[in-house]
Amino acid sequence: MDPRIPPMQALRAFEAVARTGSLTKAAEGLHLTHGAISHQLKGLEEDLGVRLTERAGRGIRLTDEGARFAKRVRVALSEIADA
């Protein structure tokens, strides 16, 4: 991952994409640009060595690996927020 992108930020970006099914909606929700979200997802996928998302028409969908990872990320982010 790009050392300039905090890993937590990339996880939040991924969770937002997983929840909304859209880079644009995720960007709006996090007050970031579409490009920033895309860059963070790409870096996260490179770090993990697995594709998490794929294009689906004008939107985006999670791969099977992405769906499994999204569930774990949601739980982890929720636990962090509760702490």
Side-chain angles (χ1 to χ4, degrees):
M1 178 176 282
D2 186 335
R4 295 170 292 173
I5 300 173
M8 184 62 74
Q9 188 174 356
L11 292 174
R12 285 188 178 127
F14 170 70
E15 191 282 326
V17 169
R19 181 172 24 87
T20 64
S22 165
L23 293 176
T24 301
K25 289 178 184 176
E28 289 170 358
L30 295 174
H31 306 288
L32 297 170
T33 65
H34 181 280
I37 296 292
S38 179
H39 183 73
Q40 290 174 16
L41 280 180
K42 182 180 177 185
L44 186 59
E45 288 177 332
E46 288 173 359
D47 275 356
L48 297 174
V50 66
R51 296 258 340 200
L52 299 171
T53 61
E54 58 190 17
R55 290 234 173 256
R58 294 188 65 193
I60 197 163
R61 77 167 198 89
L62 299 177
T63 61
D64 290 342
E65 294 87 356
R68 285 191 297 274
F69 189 60
K71 288 178 186 177
R72 299 196 66 186
V73 168
R74 279 188 197 109
V75 169
L77 291 176
S78 177
E79 289 178 1
I80 290 168
D82 289 347

